[in-house]
Amino acid sequence: MGVAVLYMSLIVLIPLAALTAGAFEGGVGEFWEAITGDAAWAAVSLTIQVSLIVTLINAVMGTLIAWVLVRDRFPGKGIVNGLIDLPFALPTIVAGLTLLALYGPRGPVGVNIAFTKAGIVLALLLVTLPFVVRAVQPVLLELDREMEQAAASLGAGPLTIFRRIILPNLFPAVIGGCGLAFSRALGEFGSLVLITGNIPFQDQVASFYIYSQIESDNRQEAAAVSVFLLVLSLAALLILSALERWTSRHAR
Amino acid sequence: MILRQVFRRPAALVALLAAGLIAVTGCGDDDSASAGTSGGSGGDSTLTLVGYTTPREVYEEVIPAFQATPAGEGIEFEQSYGPSGDQSRAVEAGLDADVLVLSLAPDITRLEEPGLVDPTWDDGPTKGFVSTSAVVFLVREGNPENIRTWDDLVKDGIEVITPNPFSSGGAQWNVAAAYGAQLKAGKTKDQALEYLRTLFANVPVQPKGARESLQVFQAGKGDVLLAYENEAKLAQANGEPVEFVIPDDTILIQNPIAVTTNSGNPTAAQAFVDYALSAPAQEVFAKKGYRSVLPEVADTYAADFPEIPGLFTMDEDLGGWKAFRDEFFDPDNGYVADIFADRGFSQEDE
């Protein structure tokens, strides 16, 4: 316990406390002004917006992929399973570069969504893919198939089984994965470097706003927006974990 | 044992965290002092060069050449390259450095106040600058949109790529070039500001730095990239399908070099700076596409660097970086911040 707390303090708590202290250097009023400034707020609200979209898509697609990986049999499954984690291993700027090459103005696909909000969503989807998949997968593996068989023998169709048996069991895992994906999307930087236009009020996300504030030597403002993102992240994780506990209690 | 006792009691834990917090936030004042006493990096015979990204390959040739001179004999080098502003902030925060080569003067002058660079750094014959270049238009091969002048950039449908001047100090050269060129052309200040406004309306993408801008341009976005002459030459030399146009009126980009006050070997550091400003090193700069700060070297390579009729400088024509930055890039009421903010309002109206 002592070791864990000391480690947590050095790696997480003290840096975050220092950041928070920096954010409030000029008092609460300045902190609030920093966040509600036009450009800052535009960036933050855009970030929340795309992060929510990304989280929702992840919830559906991540569960689907996990399902396919656990329940279906197909050649190369092991490879696909390994690929899921690649976005974690890939330096995020490489992910951005790849997306720009593929879906940019000269992309072979013929779809140009670079420098649009769709481009941001795409990059975020790539880097957040593993969260829901990896959260749902073990639960699916452990899920007792006899429950489904029992339901089927009682005359339940596949849809009913999915809705009444599988979904309630998976729900806590999906929510947990979503929380992580949302938090990651809020703060993502590297993969967006080449795919956003970085234009204030248009497609500048919060992490880029923070970066530009640091580059312009406005550390307090940068810290304020960072702390706001942090609080948002924390709130999302707390709410979702409460929801997770609630659903897992009421599932059975 | 003590730790275990501490952590058994939540109050003690809170106290410990608070102490840590005070240690972290309170040490701001000590930073420069400790950096000052700890001296330069690793021993007397090693110099640390902290620089911005672009001139890396120049220094990869200049350093061995310096080591071959009597003054540089036995001197080892450590090199760190990154975005100019980031490098400057890192040095301010305590990164050991002996020699600084940065993209623009404010990144050096920032270090004067904490005492890391002597205020006389720009007293030399080249005013502290080691290399110069110019803001040019990088266009697609064959110049399909026929972009020749600053006025061509604000035509309807032309897409201009330039880094976000708030994320990239270097991109402020581009804004200075565009604005100064309007003044050179005889426009009033208000007209020049209006020009900036129309120019930014044609900028669909503002990557965070010069490198990213070049990548975005190479990926096919935009008709013209505001770039530095040396980078434009490099892109062309690398066989990219691009060419560049030097506008008649443009700004002379001046890159500073300086020795830190806490260098472990100030003599060697100064010797290196002197060497970088000598003819052999300046020839390397010229071969890599920079305009030399030495008149005699500039003359030798004159054929590679066409004379720019309306060349102007930050210090002589635009009032110096400090005033220019306050006027244009102050986040609350700078002109460029205003241009971006108005854009926000017009978007909300739509």
Side-chain angles (χ1 to χ4, degrees), chain B residues 170-182:
Chain B
Q172 296 178 358
W173 284 118
N174 297 346
V175 176
Y179 173 77
Q182 302 311 305

Side-chain angles (χ1 to χ4, degrees), chain A residues 1-33:
Chain A
M1 170 71 184
V3 174
V5 170
L6 184 68
Y7 184 79
M8 277 282 286
S9 305
L10 288 177
I11 306 281
V12 183
L13 295 178
I14 294 177
L16 290 189
L19 177 69
T20 313
F24 287 99
E25 223 160 52
V28 179
E30 251 181 61
F31 172 79
W32 192 243
E33 249 170 54

